[in-house]
Amino acid sequence: MSETDELLMAAKNGDRRALSKLLTCLEEGEESPVPAGSGDSIGVTGPPGVGKSTLIGRMVDIWVARGESVAVLAVDPSSPRSGGALLGDRMRMMSADSSDSFFVRSLATRNHPGGLMDCLSPMVDCLAECGWSRILIETVGAGQAEIRVVAFAERILLVDGPDRGDVIQAEKAGIIELADLIAINKSDLPNAARAADSIRSALSVGELERTPEVLLVSAHDGSGIEKLVDAIDAVETTTGRERLRIRERLISAWDSTLLGADSFDEVMAALETGSMTLSEAVESIRKG
Amino acid sequence: MRIVVAKPGLDGHDRGAKVIARALRDGGHEVIYTGLRRTPAEIVRIVMDEDAAAVGLSTLSGAHAILIPRLCGGLREAGMTDVVVFAGGIIPEEDRPALFEEGVRAIFGPGTTTSEILDFLKTLDERAEAGEAIGVGEDPGWHWE
């Protein structure tokens, strides 16, 4: 029996440390002991500072009170300069540190382009296999990760907040049309209702077959969270997104192949000295 | 290295912990910051869930003599004997031998440079490679001077 099989067996029997070690193995690229695609997850995305982590903490408390067990994979960026990372999402989800029904794992992007790593899929599968009834992925909240999350999660919750610029800012990000549900956080602040209205009106002029519900919530005072949790349960997985999901998965896999190429460092050095053009570099990596 | 930076107990000053967290990140480590006022049991849980190799404790309130041994004991009880424990903040000289005896591998006081802490972590790597004790449940004979 392989190390990951043994860890999986222990984790299924409720050994949290084995689960944690299993996730480390997957993060380091080891093969998953669970068939791919068996798990189901909710992606939580949205710009930095809108309160994704705090909101997740609130939602999980409700699910746990209803008898569910919830695991959160919280992704934060690695520093491109040092390769280190400061992972601070879990400090917003403090009940995870004492509840047996709440598991948080902080993950650094380790500079994977797109801000989400391939290991997320097997992690979701393993968590599901170990009996976690609900699995959430929290994105970095910036750049490509906002869209890339569709490659990894079945349902997408977009979190936004008041005073983040006009609706064009929200629209140009592209994520708005992919969300199954939109939560405008910080409803205790002025202008939150206006932000929700402008997103609703933007959605109403589009040609979406099904416009996502826009809900006002406050992770600060707890209002609207129960309703949000119920709305997430009511959302059906959108089949129309399958093509897009496959596309993002392909791009993600391509990125990994590129980064893992034997000649990657060599090509980088050639680019730095100017002895190779970008298109020659791409060609060289493709030929292996 | 994956490192948890924790604030045990009731003291509410985390400027030091944040500076350390930032310095460790800049040194290439993945740092999980716990936020304020965590109990030893909560910190044990965080170290477990995050599969961290080390935990750094920042304490300024004088509760180190109670809280740090509790954390060390909690880690051992949970089977995490290989996890490295180090501490910083205001910990008087006379209190330190007892903490080293508990398996704490380094105590950094005011005036410590961030590069010294990175050197300590490098030494941990070298010791681990040589099969020498660094964990909280291993022979407490060695600590950083």
Side-chain angles (χ1 to χ4, degrees):
Chain A
M1 203 191 260
S2 76
E3 189 195 356
T4 49
D5 281 321
E6 276 172 30
L7 288 171
L8 178 68
M9 210 155 77
K12 280 168 84 168
N13 288 325
D15 181 343
R16 257 178 113 108
R17 191 166 190 226
L19 174 64
S20 168
K21 293 261 175 217
L22 176 59
L23 295 183
T24 303
C25 289
L26 298 173
E27 189 175 25
E28 283 163 3
E30 280 183 48
E31 193 124 351
S32 171
V34 173
S38 50
D40 190 280
S41 64
I42 300 166
V44 181
T45 189
V50 295
K52 294 185 291 298
S53 305
T54 314
L55 184 60
I56 289 173
R58 286 280 194 171
M59 294 194 303
V60 175
D61 287 343
I62 291 172
W63 275 314
V64 169
R66 291 180 181 178
E68 293 207 44
S69 61
V70 191
V72 178
L73 300 171
V75 183
D76 267 330
S78 295
S79 152
R81 198 180 283 259
S82 73
L86 189 48
L87 310 170
D89 289 329
R90 78 171 301 138
M91 65 180 278
R92 321 273 178 207
M93 313 175 194
M94 285 197 174
S95 48
D97 307 340
S98 48
S99 166
D100 285 336
S101 308
F102 189 178
F103 179 92
V104 178
R105 180 58 169 266
S106 313
L107 296 164
T109 56
R110 301 197 174 168
N111 295 331
H112 195 279
L116 290 167
M117 312 75 79
D118 297 339
C119 62
L120 287 169
S121 297
M123 283 182 177
V124 169
D125 297 337
C126 285
L127 286 163
E129 181 75 15
C130 292
W132 295 87
S133 61
R134 218 167 268 277
I135 301 154
L136 277 70
I137 298 174
E138 180 184 345
T139 75
V140 167
Q144 199 60 39
E146 289 207 77
I147 293 186
R148 185 64 52 85
V149 70
V150 304
F152 298 93
E154 279 63 37
R155 281 173 284 178
I156 309 291
L157 168 65
L158 170 66
V159 186
D160 211 330
D163 296 324
R164 287 219 331 103
D166 65 17
V167 73
I168 299 300
Q169 299 299 335
E171 284 202 71
K172 73 183 181 189
I175 182 70
I176 201 168
E177 50 218 85
L178 302 177
D180 294 302
L181 201 59
I182 298 174
I184 305 299
N185 192 23
K186 309 189 188 183
S187 66
D188 50 292
L189 296 182
N191 296 335
R194 187 190 289 175
D197 283 343
S198 65
I199 287 188
R200 281 190 199 107
S201 76
L203 288 166
S204 69
V205 298
E207 286 174 356
L208 298 175
E209 23 185 295
R210 192 185 50 80
T211 53
E213 204 177 340
V214 180
L215 294 169
L216 273 167
V217 298
S218 168
H220 174 66
D221 65 22
S223 65
I225 313 276
E226 291 254 7
K227 216 176 144 201
L228 174 63
V229 166
D230 292 336
I232 289 174
D233 288 340
V235 162
E236 282 170 36
T237 311
T238 355
T239 47
R241 237 186 12 225
E242 197 50 34
R243 209 186 145 77
L244 182 75
R245 178 173 303 145
I246 292 168
R247 180 177 184 276
E248 288 296 325
R249 277 193 182 147
L250 178 61
I251 296 174
S252 180
W254 176 261
D255 287 345
S256 307
T257 312
L258 173 72
L259 281 177
D262 292 335
S263 55
F264 187 78
D265 289 334
E266 215 175 288
V267 169
M268 279 273 290
L271 282 169
E272 268 173 327
T273 58
S275 64
M276 204 182 242
T277 66
L278 263 182
S279 52
E280 282 165 359
V282 171
E283 203 51 39
S284 155
I285 289 175
R286 274 175 59 190
K287 281 187 187 140
Chain B
M1 197 185 275
R2 281 174 72 83
I3 304 167
V4 169
V5 170
K7 283 289 301 177
L10 295 177
D11 104 59
H13 296 273
D14 66 348
R15 173 59 53 204
K18 284 174 175 162
V19 168
I20 297 304
R22 173 69 190 268
L24 297 180
R25 185 198 75 155
D26 292 344
H29 299 279
E30 290 181 2
V31 183
I32 299 107
Y33 178 52
T34 63
L36 291 171
R37 300 190 191 90
R38 317 327 306 277
T39 67
E42 286 171 339
I43 297 169
V44 169
R45 167 62 75 80
I46 295 170
V47 173
M48 180 185 289
D49 287 2
E50 298 290 350
D51 195 19
V55 51
L57 303 159
S58 162
T59 153
L60 307 166
S61 65
H64 50 268
I66 303 287
L67 295 173
I68 295 179
R70 274 194 199 158
L71 176 85
C72 294
L75 288 169
R76 284 191 292 265
E77 260 166 53
M80 295 187 280
T81 51
D82 55 339
V83 171
V84 178
V85 179
F86 62 99
I90 308 297
I91 301 176
E93 278 298 338
E94 61 265 32
D95 291 351
R96 295 185 181 189
L99 296 176
F100 291 134
E101 205 47 46
E102 269 292 334
V104 175
R105 298 297 175 168
I107 297 173
F108 301 105
T112 306
T113 59
T114 52
S115 63
E116 186 187 339
I117 301 173
L118 294 174
D119 287 343
F120 161 67
L121 295 172
K122 212 177 288 166
T123 307
L124 290 179
D125 272 341
E126 289 160 11
R127 286 184 62 89
E129 222 153 278
E132 294 169 317
I134 51 170
V136 70
E138 297 162 5
D139 173 20
W142 171 84
H143 64 82
W144 179 261
E145 294 286 358

